[in-house]
Amino acid sequence: LMENTYLSKESPAGYMVAMQNFLIGAKNTKRYSEVQEYLMKLESFGQKQPGLEAPIFGIGTDIRLTIFIDTHNYSGGLQHSASIIKQLIKHEAKLSISHYSLFYFNLSYIALAAGNYKAALSTLNTLLNDSRIRESKPDIFTAGLLLELVSLYESGKLNLLEARLLSAQRSMENLGV
């Protein structure tokens, strides 16, 4: 695939999907140096394919965030979060709600695990205040509510924790959880 440029020229979307499969395989088998190589190639390819910029961002971000979590490199993930959020805002209209909500959840998880409760609560605020997520991704929304409670507890904001606990309970009851 890397040597044969035919697919990338004849079917850019097909090439993107093939690269995504390589990335997933390398990530799942913990071949992280290969993941970095494939990500660089995919992103280089994406610069020549403006119509695929958002999906390539989605693929790369999904892989990167998952690796930060899988390897417990939370501080590394936190270092990249500002640029990821900037790109999330840029590509929001072209990303599926599933990707959008999962990226914000994973960013929140990384920030919480890194001990940056302010960043965790900020990204959770975006996640929990988006009605599209509440309606179409109740599983991620509910997990976000629970992560918010943990973040409030860990940050020592016990006065807010009690109020948010009641609010989370009502939200979960309304969702049938």
Side-chain angles (χ1 to χ4, degrees):
L1 182 66
M2 303 303 160
E3 320 273 285
N4 185 347
T5 59
Y6 172 79
L7 181 59
S8 67
K9 291 177 184 169
E10 293 299 315
S11 177
Y15 180 80
M16 180 186 69
V17 170
M19 286 297 292
Q20 180 180 21
N21 289 332
F22 277 115
L23 282 162
I24 292 168
K27 178 190 70 75
N28 288 345
T29 55
K30 299 180 184 342
R31 297 187 325 255
Y32 299 123
S33 60
E34 286 181 40
V35 170
Q36 295 308 317
E37 177 186 341
Y38 293 144
L39 280 171
M40 288 187 331
K41 289 181 185 211
L42 182 63
E43 289 165 351
S44 172
F45 169 73
Q47 292 172 354
K48 301 170 199 155
Q49 304 292 329
L52 296 178
E53 187 180 359
I56 287 174
F57 162 75
I59 292 167
T61 301
D62 183 30
I63 296 291
R64 279 190 180 92
L65 290 175
T66 304
I67 289 174
F68 287 132
I69 292 169
D70 289 351
T71 61
H72 306 279
N73 183 7
Y74 306 119
S75 60
L78 198 56
Q79 290 173 352
H80 288 86
S81 64
S83 63
I84 290 172
I85 290 170
K86 184 178 177 181
Q87 292 297 309
L88 267 170
I89 292 166
K90 176 182 176 184
H91 297 297
E92 178 180 355
K94 294 180 181 178
L95 291 172
S96 71
I97 193 66
S98 295
H99 277 112
Y100 179 78
S101 57
L102 189 59
F103 293 160
Y104 270 103
F105 178 83
N106 283 343
L107 287 165
S108 302
Y109 180 90
I110 287 168
L112 174 63
N116 189 329
Y117 309 120
K118 183 177 180 181
L121 290 167
S122 175
T123 51
L124 283 164
N125 188 48
T126 301
L127 175 80
L128 297 174
N129 288 312
D130 191 321
S131 61
R132 300 170 305 155
I133 296 170
R134 180 188 305 242
E135 294 165 11
S136 63
K137 298 303 298 173
D139 54 338
I140 295 174
F141 179 80
T142 302
L145 287 171
L146 296 173
L147 203 60
E148 180 188 42
L149 297 174
V150 173
S151 297
L152 289 169
Y153 177 80
E154 290 295 329
S155 65
K157 296 183 178 185
L158 302 180
N159 56 337
L160 288 175
L161 177 61
E162 186 175 347
R164 290 301 299 149
L165 183 60
L166 295 172
S167 176
Q169 180 182 5
R170 281 191 304 274
S171 292
M172 288 182 199
E173 286 171 355
N174 289 338
L175 291 169
V177 177

